[in-house]
Amino acid sequence: MKLHKKDNFSRRNFLKTSVLASGGMLIGFNFLTACKPEAKMPVDIANLNFNDFNAYIKISEEGFVTIFSPNPEIGQGVKTSMPMIIAEELDVAWQNVTVAQADLDTKNFKRQVAGGSQSIRSSWSVLREAGATAKQMLMQAAANKWQVDISTLKVANGIITNNNGDTLGYGDVVKEAALLEVPEKVTLKELKDFTIIGKDAVNVDLHKIVTGQPLYGLDYKAEGMVYATVLRPPAFGQELVSFDATAAKKVTGVIDVITIGEKVRDFKKSGEKNWSFNLSSSDKVVVIAKNTWAAIKGKKAIKAKWKTITALESTEKHEEVLNGILNDTKGKVRREDGNVAKAFTNADKVIEKTYSAPFLPHNCMEPMNFYANITKEKVHLVGPIQTPEAAANVVGKMFGFAQDKIHLEMTRMGGGFGRRLYGDFVFEVAEIANKIQKPVKLISTREDDMTTGIYRPSTKYKISAALKDGKVLGYHLKEASINGNMYGSIAHFFPAGCIPNYKVETGNYKSNVTTGAWRAPYTNFLAFAEQTFFDELATELNTDPIQLRLNLLENIDSKKDKRIQYSGKRTKDVIELVREKGNWGKVAAGIYQGFAAYYSHNTHVAEIADIEIKNGLPVIKKVTVAVDCGIVVNPTGAKNQVEGGVLDGIGHAMYANFSLKDGKPTYKNFDTYRLIRMNETPKVEVYFVENNLKPTGLGEPGLPPAGGAVANAINAALGKRLYSQPFIKDLKKQTILG
Amino acid sequence: MPNYTLNVNGQQRQVTVDEDTPLLWVLRDELDLVGTKFGCGIAQCGACTVHIDGVAMRSCQMQVSILDGTKITTIEGLSTDGKHPVQEAWETIDVPQCGYCQAGQIMTASAFLAENKNPTEEEIRNAMHGNICRCAAYNRIEKAVKLASKNL
């Protein structure tokens, strides 16, 4: 990776880059507008010339610093870590900084998205430049005032000092600084001089969270706002025929019962496409009420008739088609090295295993909801969405508004996990608001979220290895999934480049069940399949599982293959760190260990799970994790992400079951759908590889290896290999349980 | 619609709502106390936990009509200054990720610690098992409950 090669940025280059990227992230400084201590986005943001305005930073004459965090906050911590990066280069004291959530603003920001663990990775340089540019202009203003050269000045905590020991605060020079030309070049700090990055900073919303202040979309209220619930087809493949709202209209508080769907069909007919749009063409029944409870009760009272348009699918059907893809079809080849067929023909032994995972709902704790107010002149949208730009874009097209007539405010989100990448609930509430011409909030129940979701699709892998002379000489992985397949460079992840004869192919089945990204898409299950497969190969080859991985990684860095993004060295680093910290092979009697390592979302992770067996059941005691995400911006936040990712990975691998029958999900709420709870959680110990490499994301990478590490530990303890999730079901099948 | 007088966070509050309205929606929609969260609606996730006479209860399953004469405490009223030892422990440990379930976690923890001042690790894990954290910040929740028990 080319890192910190160039620490000086020419202004011309910078502007060029900015303008080209999705409408442009423009830099400038809004120092003329005094900023109140309570942070608020300026309403005229769109009218400000970029030369006068810095969308990221505001400094008042009193010296108050407000940093706008541009990306959506779903619990991944960017509302804290992104402003930390700006504050570092701006050289202000972190405790004096107010952080506010920026609104959607495609003119001044780029990539306002929460997804793919990319916020920090893609913004690292941009955020540093923004802070450094502001600092340099403030220093220049002070230099002009004192009539000295800027190079003689020093800055710390927002105070500029000259050689005579005179001081000026940022607030003292902010007016003058704003009149200066934006500098051609800015110098970024040396990493060794960092005072904010690398130090623990608690969640910026922490106090508001623990005192129950309004923060989330569900908490948002506006004058005259009504509440809406939406009755959608109960089965995938069905559409509305008719409904009787007599009983619903009698519910106290119900204002009206309407239908939506027309605008969705118009949008589809227009040929417009947007990946975040995946609504069915069916009409939906909407209950408009004065309060949430009336809206929920009213919806239950609707009597609707549905007709079946396309085949109603079931889990049995999906099993059948996925097995068919694995066994009977030719897949699309994603990567092929050497001669796989020959390697298998010449093998001493061939190992072949098949792995299965169910559909999964996201189950964000905050159910889907969104606020909309659409008048003839403009659109106001407020709520939790991971992709605000795509949402505003679709709403503009659906209802004929230019983007500058759409004001979208992002709220803190009660979880994302990929669910809120899709804007279905935004488009629904927009159609409702447009129809009733009133401010309205759409509210979903848990049952709505779980039964009309956008699921992680059920997926199967068939993996085969050709063993010869104690080595893995051939590897063949086939993926069968629903509505899509592994994306990006996943086919080039480990063990690509490590095994001379290697092939990855995929096939998929088009289903009418809506599917989409779920935390660490594909790799959330692929890592389990692959990492348990390698554990099995290690047993077969009578090699230590960690040593097998290290042997395979031996030559990876010497290969010139640009498609391979993972680093052999960094993978080895995390493996060796976890081997040491996790006391691999050196634990007390009765503790069994399992190992897994995985690279995803540009971050390398290795994990060791320690389990014991109580009453014949596996009890996971501890998971040791080693992570290489480059520079750790905020250690407390980073650890929290990894701890949570590991437990989330274990929880879903162990317990999460889901199925469909006659097009309907059979799990509807947490009484039957099992999420991991505190008394089932191990302690997670997180260690970071220390280096000076550019930071990468952490929202997802901790999750993929967790299931594999636990499954391998279960095998170490019980001698039972797990091939499907949830493990609890697989263990039952193997009559270990109950 | 009937009228109810509720004692919420030490104040008498009048509401006019249907008798089957769950306390959760009275708090959120009528009284603007939105710290109490909606998660599942069937008392399985704990996001809506409040104290009724000091006992942790699920407000999504509690009809407004049965609350006469009780003292209701929500996250907003747990302390006057936001510095209940449990809230402080949550801040020290930097518990939340998305934060949505945390009010419910704090309400469960504070009621539990009021009864059991010196809990064992196992007691904490069992007491907290009714509250789901989808981000799985469980290690930190556990640490914070332990820390709070020392500072109570």
Side-chain angles (χ1 to χ4, degrees):
Chain A
M1 256 186 276
K2 286 176 200 151
L3 303 167
H4 313 305
K5 197 178 116 195
K6 195 180 70 169
D7 274 358
N8 291 318
F9 294 86
S10 114
R11 180 168 178 263
R12 183 174 296 168
N13 282 343
F14 185 59
L15 291 177
K16 200 172 153 197
T17 330
S18 315
V19 172
L20 288 174
S22 70
M25 196 294 301
L26 305 177
I27 192 161
F29 301 95
N30 184 21
F31 290 162
L32 293 172
T33 311
C35 165
K36 288 176 188 152
E38 72 274 18
K40 216 169 183 183
M41 284 297 280
V43 283
D44 56 346
I45 189 166
N47 300 325
L48 288 163
N49 183 296
F50 76 89
N51 276 319
D52 305 323
F53 188 72
N54 182 336
Y56 292 115
I57 307 158
K58 286 210 305 191
I59 300 174
S60 74
E61 286 177 60
E62 297 81 17
F64 291 114
V65 177
T66 303
I67 297 178
F68 290 99
S69 181
N71 282 29
E73 173 62 57
I74 56 176
Q76 83 281 45
V78 294
K79 193 175 172 183
T80 307
S81 55
M82 293 178 86
M84 283 172 76
I85 299 169
I86 297 173
E88 179 69 68
E89 293 289 350
L90 183 60
D91 241 328
V92 289
W94 177 245
Q95 64 268 27
N96 296 340
V97 173
T98 300
V99 174
Q101 177 70 57
D103 294 347
L104 172 66
D105 180 353
T106 53
K107 282 189 184 139
N108 290 297
F109 299 116
K110 67 176 182 184
R111 198 184 184 281
Q112 286 183 280
V113 170
S117 301
Q118 295 301 305
S119 293
I120 290 291
R121 180 172 176 255
S122 62
S123 303
W124 170 247
S125 300
V126 174
L127 297 175
R128 291 182 72 192
E129 287 161 29
T133 307
K135 178 172 92 172
Q136 192 161 320
M137 292 175 76
L138 290 156
M139 286 175 74
Q140 189 59 56
N144 295 350
K145 218 170 196 171
W146 283 322
Q147 298 194 321
V148 297
D149 191 86
I150 189 170
S151 65
T152 64
L153 303 181
K154 288 193 170 66
V155 183
N157 293 334
I159 306 288
I160 305 162
T161 310
N162 67 16
N163 279 340
N164 299 330
D166 304 325
T167 60
L168 283 168
Y170 279 0
D172 300 327
V173 289
V174 81
K175 271 187 166 175
E176 292 80 3
L179 301 173
L180 298 173
E181 278 287 309
V182 176
E184 285 280 327
K185 283 183 178 177
V186 294
T187 306
L188 299 181
K189 276 185 172 179
E190 299 276 333
L191 306 187
K192 66 176 172 51
D193 296 329
F194 282 173
T195 57
I196 295 173
I197 290 170
K199 304 267 188 327
D200 286 345
V202 298
N203 187 321
V204 291
D205 286 331
L206 183 55
H207 187 70
K208 287 181 179 166
I209 290 168
V210 305
T211 51
Q213 294 176 47
L215 276 172
Y216 303 89
L218 205 72
D219 304 341
Y220 182 82
K221 286 184 183 179
E223 186 68 33
M225 181 181 94
V226 294
Y227 298 78
T229 48
V230 181
L231 182 66
R232 306 177 181 95
F236 292 97
Q238 289 190 326
E239 286 189 1
L240 182 71
V241 177
S242 63
F243 67 99
D244 177 0
T246 317
K249 284 182 175 172
K250 284 183 187 153
V251 172
T252 316
V254 168
I255 300 166
D256 201 0
V257 178
I258 63 169
T259 59
I260 53 167
E262 194 186 326
K263 292 285 178 184
V264 167
R265 292 189 291 274
D266 288 351
F267 184 79
K268 285 185 171 179
K269 264 186 232 151
S270 75
E272 284 283 352
K273 288 228 169 3
N274 187 297
W275 66 272
S276 85
F277 180 93
N278 55 4
L279 285 168
S280 90
S281 296
S282 176
D283 269 335
K284 293 164 186 174
V285 186
V286 180
V287 177
I288 311 289
K290 286 180 185 160
N291 56 57
T292 313
W293 183 239
I296 290 173
K297 263 170 70 178
K299 192 176 92 165
K300 280 187 189 151
I302 301 280
K303 292 186 185 73
K305 279 188 187 153
W306 311 94
K307 64 181 169 188
T308 298
I309 302 293
T310 52
L312 304 181
E313 298 183 1
S314 64
T315 297
E316 287 70 32
K317 162 83 177 172
H318 295 146
E319 279 287 306
E320 191 185 305
V321 296
L322 292 179
N323 284 330
I325 291 167
L326 283 187
N327 300 321
D328 309 325
T329 67
K330 214 168 153 24
K332 180 180 170 187
V333 177
R334 303 291 178 130
R335 182 185 172 101
E336 192 167 12
D337 298 329
N339 189 333
V340 173
K342 200 175 156 195
F344 278 85
T345 310
N346 295 340
D348 297 335
K349 189 166 186 182
V350 170
I351 310 281
E352 181 185 295
K353 300 292 168 187
T354 301
Y355 301 86
S356 312
F359 277 78
L360 286 184
H362 297 81
N363 283 322
C364 304
M365 284 308 286
E366 179 191 14
M368 297 309 111
N369 67 88
F370 225 81
Y371 167 89
N373 189 18
I374 301 187
T375 61
K376 286 191 172 62
E377 295 77 34
K378 59 186 182 186
V379 179
H380 186 203
L381 300 167
V382 186
I385 182 81
Q386 290 177 247
T387 51
E389 185 174 348
N393 197 301
V394 172
V395 169
K397 283 175 178 151
M398 280 175 85
F399 302 97
F401 285 96
Q403 285 303 293
D404 63 358
K405 300 291 178 204
I406 300 176
H407 178 207
L408 190 152
E409 294 178 54
M410 289 177 266
T411 54
R412 188 178 183 85
M413 284 177 249
F417 311 106
R419 175 61 184 89
R420 293 188 230 262
L421 291 167
Y422 309 96
D424 43 299
F425 46 91
V426 184
F427 315 135
E428 286 177 348
V429 78
E431 187 167 358
I432 298 166
N434 185 59
K435 200 156 189 175
I436 66 174
Q437 291 287 303
K438 268 185 200 161
V440 57
K441 181 148 66 171
L442 177 155
I443 298 210
S444 307
T445 60
R446 178 60 49 198
E447 290 82 0
D448 292 333
D449 274 10
M450 221 182 277
T451 61
T452 61
I454 293 173
Y455 307 94
R456 179 204 56 190
S458 179
T459 301
K460 283 177 185 281
Y461 291 101
K462 184 160 83 178
I463 314 181
S464 332
L467 307 181
K468 176 93 176 162
D469 302 330
K471 286 188 172 151
V472 188
L473 290 188
Y475 184 86
H476 182 194
L477 181 141
K478 191 164 181 185
E479 176 184 271
S481 194
I482 292 172
N483 293 340
N485 284 112
M486 61 167 75
Y487 60 98
S489 63
I490 293 174
H492 310 290
F493 285 5
F494 178 86
C498 298
I499 298 172
N501 306 292
Y502 173 98
K503 186 176 181 180
V504 169
E505 56 180 327
T506 62
N508 79 78
Y509 164 77
K510 292 279 174 233
S511 166
N512 57 16
V513 182
T514 44
T515 58
W518 192 103
R519 194 177 195 177
Y522 293 96
T523 61
N524 59 46
F525 180 62
L526 171 59
F528 155 77
E530 179 196 292
Q531 291 294 303
T532 51
F533 185 75
F534 275 97
D535 204 73
E536 199 160 347
L537 289 186
T539 306
E540 192 62 40
L541 294 168
N542 203 18
T543 310
D544 173 74
I546 289 187
Q547 197 54 50
L548 174 69
R549 274 23 166 253
L550 292 174
N551 293 347
L552 285 165
L553 287 163
E554 208 47 52
N555 294 316
I556 184 72
D557 274 345
S558 62
K559 303 206 173 188
K560 302 269 179 253
D561 184 341
K562 289 214 162 60
R563 297 168 302 171
I564 293 180
Q565 293 173 354
Y566 78 97
S567 149
K569 182 191 177 304
R570 296 178 82 174
T571 309
K572 282 185 204 164
D573 286 349
V574 290
I575 290 176
E576 278 161 7
L577 183 61
V578 85
R579 179 162 66 177
E580 177 208 331
K581 298 291 185 187
N583 297 312
W584 177 249
K586 296 174 194 160
V587 286
I591 298 283
Y592 301 90
Q593 294 188 305
F595 165 84
Y598 208 72
Y599 161 90
S600 69
H601 306 276
N602 311 98
T603 295
H604 299 74
V605 183
E607 300 177 9
I608 291 174
D610 290 6
I611 71 163
E612 60 184 26
I613 302 298
K614 268 191 189 162
N615 307 321
L617 296 172
V619 178
I620 309 158
K621 301 299 285 183
K622 189 176 92 171
V623 179
T624 311
V625 191
V627 181
D628 181 353
C629 61
I631 294 164
V632 180
V633 175
N634 181 13
T636 175
K639 277 187 187 162
N640 210 349
Q641 287 308 301
V642 178
E643 289 163 7
V646 168
L647 296 182
D648 187 11
I650 292 174
H652 282 90
M654 286 286 291
Y655 307 118
N657 200 14
F658 199 73
S659 59
L660 292 121
K661 192 165 192 278
D662 300 327
K664 293 180 190 174
T666 56
Y667 292 78
K668 295 179 167 58
N669 206 325
F670 298 136
D671 49 346
T672 51
Y673 187 91
R674 187 168 170 192
L675 283 167
I676 194 165
R677 291 169 185 266
M678 188 188 284
N679 53 354
E680 295 154 340
T681 57
K683 300 286 180 287
V684 183
E685 279 181 17
V686 184
Y687 300 91
F688 293 100
V689 172
E690 287 181 26
N691 60 37
N692 284 335
L693 300 173
K694 187 176 164 179
T696 55
L698 284 173
E700 287 156 305
L703 186 146
V710 168
N712 294 339
I714 290 174
N715 177 68
L718 300 172
K720 298 283 178 189
R721 290 285 174 193
L722 296 167
Y723 298 104
S724 66
Q725 293 183 357
F727 298 163
I728 199 98
K729 198 172 155 196
D730 202 1
L731 286 166
K732 264 185 193 154
K733 251 192 227 158
Q734 297 194 38
T735 64
I736 292 166
L737 299 180
Chain B
M1 268 193 294
N3 265 303
Y4 299 94
T5 305
L6 301 175
N7 183 320
V8 182
N9 299 331
Q11 290 182 324
Q12 297 295 115
R13 306 288 299 263
Q14 308 280 337
V15 292
T16 306
V17 292
D18 250 8
E19 61 182 10
D20 64 350
T21 309
L23 174 62
L24 170 67
W25 298 115
V26 175
L27 295 171
R28 293 187 56 86
D29 289 356
E30 307 298 322
L31 301 177
D32 280 342
L33 294 168
V34 296
T36 305
K37 298 297 192 241
F38 171 50
C40 70
I42 58 166
Q44 291 290 319
C45 77
C48 68
T49 306
V50 297
H51 297 172
I52 308 289
D53 295 329
V55 180
M57 306 282 262
R58 306 287 193 244
S59 65
C60 73
Q61 287 290 298
M62 191 146 294
Q63 289 191 4
V64 64
S65 55
I66 62 162
L67 292 167
D68 189 34
T70 64
K71 281 188 179 169
I72 301 158
T73 308
T74 70
I75 186 72
E76 292 91 343
L78 183 63
S79 60
T80 49
D81 53 1
K83 289 186 174 169
H84 185 281
V86 174
Q87 289 170 315
E88 287 200 315
W90 245 251
E91 294 208 25
T92 305
I93 303 289
D94 188 27
V95 172
Q97 288 181 39
C98 87
Y100 189 81
C101 74
Q102 299 299 345
Q105 304 275 2
I106 289 169
M107 295 311 280
T108 298
S110 52
F112 164 65
L113 292 176
E115 291 296 312
N116 186 344
K117 305 248 184 278
N118 192 18
T120 63
E121 182 179 312
E122 199 181 343
E123 285 170 337
I124 293 173
R125 287 163 68 87
N126 288 332
M128 299 303 297
H129 94 281
N131 287 68
I132 293 172
C133 174
R134 175 65 183 84
C135 303
Y138 290 117
N139 276 200
R140 290 188 184 210
I141 295 168
E142 191 178 331
K143 271 188 211 158
V145 178
K146 202 173 287 172
L147 176 65
S149 75
K150 289 179 186 151
N151 297 338
L152 267 168

